[in-house]
Amino acid sequence: MSPRAEAVPEGEPGREQEEPRLVLRAQASDSGRVYQAAGDIHVFEAGPTTAATDAELDRVAAESTARTQSLIASLASRSPVDLAYRPPSDAIGALTAFLDSPSRVFVLKGPPGSGKTALTYHLADRLGGDVSFQLHSADSWGLPRFELDAEILRYASVPCAGDSLLTLERAGALLDRPCVVVVDGIASQSRFDAVARQVDRILRQVTAPALRFFLVVRTPPDIEMSAYPVLSATVYGQSTVGSRGTSYELTPWSMAEARAAWAQSRKPRETAFGELPAAVRQLARLPLYMRLLKAARLDSAEGEINGYRLVDHCVAAVLPSSGHDPVDLSETLSDAAHRATPELVPSSLRTSPPAPGQAASLNVDAPPLVHRGADGTPAFIHDVVREYFLATRIAALLEDQGRSSSTVAAVNELADKAMGSAAARGVFEFTVYGLDRSAPDLLAAVMVSPAVHVGSTLPLVLGLVARGGVRFADDQVLRVCARRCRREASAELAKSLLNVPAVAKALGAEYVPWLAGLLKQFGPTVWPQLVTAVEQSLDAPGIRRLLHAADLGNADDATFFARYYYVFLPSEADTALEALDAFLEHPDWRVRAALADGVRDKQSPRAESARIIMDRLVYDPDYKVRGAAARAIGQAGSELAEQHLGALLTDDNWHVRSSVLQGLLSGSSGHAEVRPATLMALDVLRSEPDWQQCPAQIATHYERLLLLSGVPGRGPEPTGRTRALFELLREARTGWTSLPDETRNALVAEGMLVPSWLVRREAEAFTRPAPSSATDHPIPSLAAPSPPDAYRRLRGGRSIQVALDLHDLDQAIEVAQAVAAAGAEFIEVGDPLIKTVGVTAVERIKRAVPHTTVVAEMMSADWGRDQVVLAAEYGADVVFLIGPASIASVAAAVDAGRRLGVPILLDVPTHHVSAHWIADMEQAGVDGFAITTNIDIGVGSNHPLARSQALRSWTRLPVAVSGGFSSTDRSVLRSPEWDVLIVGRSVTEATQPATAARSLTQLIHQPE
């Protein structure tokens, strides 16, 4: 893992004694090999326990760079050349883009052995001239009791006396270059939680954008970070669909990359990559396993081949050359693995970790497995090696127990741990592989036991079966699992079974009815796995039997077959046309629309079947079906587009017409390419009079297409042009959309000339020079912290939000200006004012108080995405969503908020105040919660602070509370149960609103 900054206590261990003297133990993985700077330990002094001077703080970057460069040089001098490091080609660009963005956290994920630690060292080495790096490892800290802020200062030799967080804040303000704090060794949710709490705490206090964090997370399983609001809001890469919480992911090499890596480091007489068995080549796609393959000279495939067998073969080949008895040394290493991670051993097998004994005096150097650590004891070169020895010990203990309820319970406990920890996942998988090798009958008995867990143990074990390289999973085991997944309605078990091709052989004639039963029982949940199973396991007669077994009259079943029509169509043209007709004439519109979704699928052949489908769907009587066809045409090739664009763009329903534009605009980059289909569409749009007066919501898509294609607008001030221009400029600033320089410059130039001051403000942001120092903040700016990040920092603060629940716009503007001058942090444009005047009220208020945060209260959260877009386009800085909402609708609103740089505040309905509902909304991505109480309900309503107390115990997001409060509610004003106090009539209906607001502000902010 990463280097360790470890204390060398003088006397009894304790924090006060740890600080003066520190040892940097260089321990780094280079694609699976860890090297420790043993015999050349770098000792540095943390300095006296006095407050750091500005001169010392000013050298944080320089000291960090010097420390890291020394470490990298030390590691390089010991690095073997048996496998040259091959960094991902786009890694440097990804980190550079992160440093140029307002984000503060970069999250690198990847499976064990994929080269995560090696990549961090490569980045630190390559970018060290311009960026300072600190290299930390979470597994070297006493979690959860550690202070990351103190560790950062220690790394830079800065004294840690007094408040280390405040010291780090001072140091951050003096940074003149980015300082990236790498935290490696995050291999479980609990370890991530410990680190994330510290990072979240630092991000709240240390706002200097130069201090960044680089978290290295081992997967699978993935980690959940929604409980850490500031951290999760500032993770780089949030704009990519499906990437929330991930900035960069390392995956196994492609076969071509593995072949090139093998050839680059191939020694004379070493087997050529192409001559290796297929199972061995698959293992070699991980850098660690390739290194082990070369060390063990495993070039044949006798028996089952998997990661455990590879390490086992390497152990058998390497340990005899260590100078110690291999059996004794193996026991010693198993003891060491047990001592290092006793929490991974099932409780029923757990004993006191064995004492070091003779291990402390062993001089072991057996790369790429173990070496002598800095403290003299054997050290594992990679976590995977440690997990092998621990799993071997656990498998032996389970084998000793034999077939028993205790054995099943122990395996279940291992699996449950593996669901939340990548380290535990590694031990679990190696334990299964170990049992499969030494006691396959015992493992089979565990799998068919009624007590084995269907939600964890069975899916995880079957995942290994799907990879191959095991022998215990005979037909009987698979049949029992297949029956159990239906009986206990376990979708996870069903999905894991569908990934195992051998299930088809095990079930025989029962396989097709079993598939049909899964389709009916689990529906869309298993669609992707089900279609993969069909492609892998069924021939043409089998597919026909599945179609006959399914109920195509049932819309749910028929929709699946229509969605993946290209898998189920017979090869004979006449029969295929007949099968298509069954779907094209289905009475349920969802089935017909699913055909269009199938055409959009990248795996769908753009051939005769697609033409037949689109010929019919384009003229379907249901506008929803034509809309689905329109989206498909927008993404289709030029041949289909040429045939049908005209009809769809002149359809008698604007939803259908708009769907064409959405299809043309879709794509990973967020903007349309000027491709033939786009040019054809523009020709139709310009020639059709209807399009010159299209509805406002569709005009925005039209103008966006024109803007991205470099085509002038439809007139001097066409409807939608301003909104499209605002959205594109804002998306470019938030990083959601990446625009070519030529396109962006053209948009900025046009934006500077439009009448809308909101658009001009967005354009002007691109023309202002970059800040010359950490204290320069051009306005408007989306620099760190980003708006969602900044809003989440309100937790633990005291802010006033004045709700303008008025009906007269002039009065509202007057009150807004008065309370802004009095110090109110937020001004809310209430629903009554928006209903009376329209959403233009938001723009008028924002223009009146441009330097105060304006909150738009938007009703009907179930249409949240549209509400967020509308409010943002009229100048809202925050959107306050009220009304019942589903997780999907809130997530869509959050995506719109991220796209446009607008935080989302969500009202908590009375009946939804539960920890589960709050957790769901956190995972959806909201930035804060609000508890609203209408005083018109009367004295019989519950006090909002009682609800907020419970709410604050369930979330770390800021909580806003309303309830008719005024300056006379002294206990409320002093209460710690709110972060934002929403006030209305006590200020807006006061004869002197400014005086009322000033009084409240002073009472809230005055010291105790």
Side-chain angles (χ1 to χ4, degrees):
M1 308 307 290
S2 293
R4 303 180 180 185
E6 297 185 10
V8 179
E10 299 176 359
E12 293 297 318
R15 188 168 190 81
E16 293 76 19
Q17 295 173 340
E18 289 179 357
E19 291 182 357
R21 180 175 170 81
L22 297 172
V23 175
L24 185 65
R25 292 180 181 170
Q27 197 171 23
S29 163
D30 183 4
S31 297
R33 187 186 292 264
V34 180
Y35 310 101
Q36 190 165 10
D40 186 20
I41 299 175
H42 302 276
V43 180
F44 63 92
E45 301 294 332
T49 55
T50 58
T53 65
D54 284 351
E56 290 172 315
L57 296 177
D58 197 30
R59 288 189 53 77
V60 165
E63 290 290 334
S64 298
T65 296
R67 190 81 54 210
T68 299
Q69 288 178 345
S70 175
L71 171 62
I72 292 175
S74 176
L75 295 173
S77 67
R78 293 167 174 80
S79 178
V81 293
D82 57 341
L83 184 63
Y85 179 62
R86 297 173 61 87
S89 59
D90 56 345
I92 294 286
L95 189 66
T96 301
F98 161 63
L99 296 174
D100 289 339
S101 77
S103 300
R104 300 277 303 280
V105 179
F106 190 97
V107 179
L108 170 67
K109 295 178 181 178
S114 57
K116 299 182 295 298
T117 301
L119 177 58
T120 64
Y121 276 83
H122 173 74
L123 294 172
D125 184 41
R126 288 289 305 274
L127 299 177
D130 301 309
V131 180
S132 294
F133 285 85
Q134 289 194 2
L135 303 173
H136 299 267
S137 179
D139 58 8
S140 69
W141 295 326
L143 303 178
R145 298 184 61 185
F146 79 105
E147 294 180 1
L148 180 55
D149 43 17
E151 299 289 344
I152 295 171
L153 295 172
R154 288 189 183 115
Y155 194 101
S157 302
V158 173
C160 297
D163 190 321
S164 55
L165 185 58
L166 293 178
T167 303
L168 183 60
E169 183 179 24
R170 291 170 53 206
L174 296 172
L175 287 171
D176 59 356
R177 61 188 299 183
C179 181
V180 178
V181 177
V182 177
V183 182
D184 202 342
I186 302 174
S188 66
Q189 182 67 50
S190 60
R191 186 169 287 178
F192 173 79
D193 290 339
V195 172
R197 276 191 291 269
Q198 297 285 329
V199 175
D200 199 79
R201 171 173 167 263
I202 292 172
L203 291 172
R204 292 175 186 273
Q205 182 73 27
V206 184
T207 59
L211 182 65
R212 307 287 180 106
F213 292 89
F214 188 116
L215 307 183
V216 183
V217 180
R218 174 178 167 180
T219 57
D222 207 349
I223 47 95
E224 173 56 50
M225 61 176 61
S226 61
Y228 308 98
V230 176
L231 184 158
S232 59
T234 189
V235 170
Y236 175 73
Q238 301 279 26
S239 64
T240 304
V241 175
S243 73
R244 187 165 293 159
T246 305
S247 306
Y248 193 91
E249 186 166 12
L250 284 175
T251 57
W253 284 327
S254 67
M255 202 60 76
E257 291 170 328
R259 181 179 293 104
W262 183 276
Q264 184 178 0
S265 303
R266 185 184 173 197
K267 297 176 181 178
R269 294 187 297 279
E270 192 173 55
T271 304
F273 186 81
E275 297 174 4
L276 295 171
V280 175
R281 293 200 302 270
Q282 284 294 332
L283 286 176
R285 294 176 58 206
L286 281 175
L288 168 64
Y289 284 169
M290 181 175 287
R291 189 180 298 279
L292 294 178
L293 283 168
K294 286 178 173 287
R297 300 184 181 277
L298 180 62
D299 54 9
S300 62
E302 298 178 3
E304 292 72 27
I305 298 297
N306 52 54
Y308 177 86
R309 290 292 305 278
L310 170 59
V311 181
D312 187 70
H313 187 92
C314 193
V315 167
V318 171
L319 288 194
S321 63
S322 66
H324 301 277
D325 180 78
V327 176
D328 291 343
L329 181 55
S330 184
E331 281 297 309
T332 298
L333 295 175
S334 293
D335 290 343
H338 189 178
R339 283 194 304 275
T341 53
E343 72 281 358
L344 299 183
V345 180
S347 56
S348 63
L349 306 178
R350 197 174 300 162
T351 58
S352 298
Q358 296 181 347
S361 60
L362 283 177
N363 185 5
V364 180
D365 188 18
L369 300 176
V370 294
H371 62 137
R372 185 177 177 85
D375 58 359
T377 61
F380 297 106
I381 284 179
H382 197 282
D383 287 349
V384 167
V385 179
R386 184 192 68 227
E387 289 158 12
Y388 161 83
F389 283 102
L390 182 59
T392 300
R393 168 70 55 81
I394 293 172
L397 293 172
L398 291 172
E399 191 173 354
D400 289 343
Q401 284 189 165
R403 299 189 183 190
S404 67
S405 59
S406 297
T407 297
V408 176
V411 175
N412 283 336
E413 184 180 344
L414 268 178
D416 291 342
K417 292 176 183 290
M419 298 298 286
S421 165
R425 180 73 64 93
V427 172
F428 175 82
E429 292 183 353
F430 275 9
T431 299
V432 172
Y433 283 137
L435 287 173
D436 181 69
R437 180 188 181 190
S438 62
D441 291 342
L442 175 60
L443 184 54
V446 171
M447 289 289 286
V448 299
S449 167
V452 72
H453 290 173
V454 298
S456 56
T457 307
L458 288 180
L460 288 177
V461 175
L462 288 167
L464 301 182
V465 176
R467 296 183 201 172
V470 296
R471 54 178 176 164
F472 79 91
D474 57 20
D475 290 353
Q476 177 60 23
V477 169
L478 295 177
R479 282 195 293 267
V480 170
C481 292
R483 288 195 295 267
R484 191 166 180 188
C485 92
R486 293 292 313 278
R487 185 174 64 250
E488 302 194 23
S490 173
E492 289 306 312
L493 181 53
K495 287 190 282 189
S496 62
L497 283 164
L498 287 168
N499 289 328
V500 179
V503 172
K505 173 181 172 293
L507 293 181
E510 298 176 10
Y511 186 61
V512 167
W514 181 74
L515 291 178
L518 293 184
L519 175 61
K520 187 170 294 293
Q521 186 171 13
F522 300 110
T525 304
V526 299
W527 280 8
Q529 294 79 18
L530 185 56
V531 75
T532 299
V534 169
E535 290 181 300
Q536 292 179 346
S537 303
L538 293 186
D539 55 13
I543 289 176
R544 285 196 295 270
R545 289 197 301 272
L546 179 59
L547 285 167
H548 291 149
D551 180 9
L552 296 184
N554 180 287
D556 294 333
D557 287 5
T559 300
F560 165 74
F561 291 103
R563 169 62 181 79
Y564 300 101
Y565 74 89
Y566 49 87
V567 173
F568 298 102
L569 282 183
S571 57
E572 301 83 1
D574 293 342
T575 311
L577 185 58
E578 182 181 345
L580 273 180
D581 279 341
F583 297 129
L584 289 166
E585 296 175 0
H586 200 282
D588 194 297
W589 72 269
R590 292 175 298 164
V591 177
R592 306 195 301 278
L595 288 168
D597 290 343
V599 171
R600 293 169 59 192
D601 197 318
K602 292 180 180 179
Q603 298 180 4
S604 171
R606 308 283 185 183
E608 182 66 14
S609 58
R611 185 191 64 76
I612 294 171
I613 290 170
M614 299 311 293
D615 284 349
R616 297 277 291 275
L617 296 187
V618 166
Y619 301 98
D620 192 277
D622 193 309
Y623 79 95
K624 299 186 291 296
V625 176
R626 300 199 304 278
R631 285 188 294 274
I633 286 292
Q635 299 175 17
S638 56
E639 183 178 348
L640 279 177
E642 184 176 5
Q643 294 174 10
H644 299 297
L645 269 176
L648 291 169
L649 286 172
T650 57
D651 191 274
D652 61 9
N653 187 283
W654 280 107
H655 168 76
V656 177
R657 298 185 181 196
S658 176
S659 295
V660 177
L661 303 188
Q662 292 175 37
L664 292 169
L665 289 166
S666 65
S668 59
S669 63
H671 61 275
E673 301 173 6
V674 184
R675 55 183 191 264
T678 301
L679 296 175
M680 294 178 202
L682 291 176
D683 288 340
V684 175
L685 295 173
R686 283 191 291 260
S687 64
E688 283 295 322
D690 285 354
W691 276 99
Q692 309 315 308
Q693 301 295 327
C694 60
Q697 73 274 17
I698 297 170
T700 303
H701 296 309
Y702 183 6
E703 292 296 338
R704 184 183 181 102
L705 190 66
L706 294 175
L707 286 166
L708 292 171
S709 303
V711 177
R714 295 168 294 143
E717 185 60 25
T719 303
R721 185 80 170 186
T722 299
R723 294 177 64 181
L725 193 54
F726 173 87
E727 288 186 19
L728 282 168
L729 291 171
R730 176 63 68 87
E731 289 170 21
R733 292 178 58 214
T734 62
W736 190 273
T737 295
S738 177
L739 298 171
D741 290 345
E742 182 179 357
T743 302
R744 186 189 64 243
N745 293 339
L747 296 178
V748 169
E750 182 173 343
M752 297 288 287
L753 302 176
V754 301
S756 169
W757 74 277
L758 288 170
V759 176
R760 290 199 307 273
R761 189 178 66 155
E762 294 298 318
E764 288 167 1
F766 289 94
T767 65
R768 290 189 174 91
S772 59
S773 71
T775 58
D776 291 340
H777 297 289
I779 296 177
S781 175
L782 297 182
S786 66
D789 178 9
Y791 193 88
R792 292 175 177 219
R793 292 171 186 272
L794 296 175
R795 177 67 179 231
R798 315 288 283 176
S799 301
I800 288 287
Q801 180 168 312
V802 178
L804 302 178
D805 291 329
L806 304 170
H807 297 271
D808 184 275
L809 180 58
D810 292 335
Q811 179 192 2
I813 292 174
E814 183 179 343
V815 172
Q817 291 173 325
V819 299
E825 290 87 354
F826 298 91
I827 294 177
E828 174 189 325
V829 183
D831 180 65
L833 186 60
I834 292 176
K835 278 189 168 62
T836 302
V837 181
V839 76
T840 54
V842 178
E843 191 270 342
R844 292 285 302 277
I845 297 295
K846 182 61 184 178
R847 190 164 191 173
V849 288
H851 301 295
T852 301
T853 302
V854 172
V855 180
E857 181 187 28
M858 308 296 284
M859 305 298 287
S860 184
D862 215 30
W863 290 88
R865 177 175 54 193
D866 296 338
Q867 303 275 28
V868 170
V869 172
L870 185 62
E873 289 172 348
Y874 280 89
D877 302 300
V878 178
V879 174
F880 180 10
L881 292 177
I882 295 183
S886 64
I887 296 175
S889 63
V890 172
V894 167
D895 281 344
R898 295 289 182 271
R899 177 167 67 91
L900 298 173
V902 176
I904 306 301
L905 176 64
L906 183 65
D907 179 55
V908 180
T910 303
H911 300 299
H912 283 161
V913 183
S914 69
H916 180 75
W917 187 86
I918 294 299
D920 285 343
M921 294 302 110
E922 281 186 330
Q923 292 180 19
V926 300
D927 302 298
F929 293 102
I931 292 177
T932 56
T933 303
N934 191 329
I935 63 172
D936 291 333
I937 296 176
V939 297
S941 60
N942 293 327
H943 199 286
L945 290 188
R947 294 173 60 203
S948 69
Q949 183 178 19
L951 177 56
R952 283 173 59 83
S953 71
W954 297 327
T955 181
R956 291 187 177 94
L957 291 171
V959 174
V961 179
S962 74
F965 304 125
S966 70
S967 58
T968 62
D969 295 301
R970 299 302 175 93
S971 62
V972 172
L973 302 184
R974 302 265 180 183
S975 172
E977 304 303 339
W978 57 266
D979 306 294
V980 179
L981 193 69
I982 303 176
V983 297
R985 296 176 184 177
S986 65
V987 172
T988 61
E989 296 188 8
T991 56
Q992 297 294 329
T995 302
R998 189 175 296 109
S999 174
L1000 273 170
T1001 302
Q1002 291 173 351
L1003 287 170
I1004 286 172
H1005 294 298
Q1006 71 182 13
E1008 296 287 342

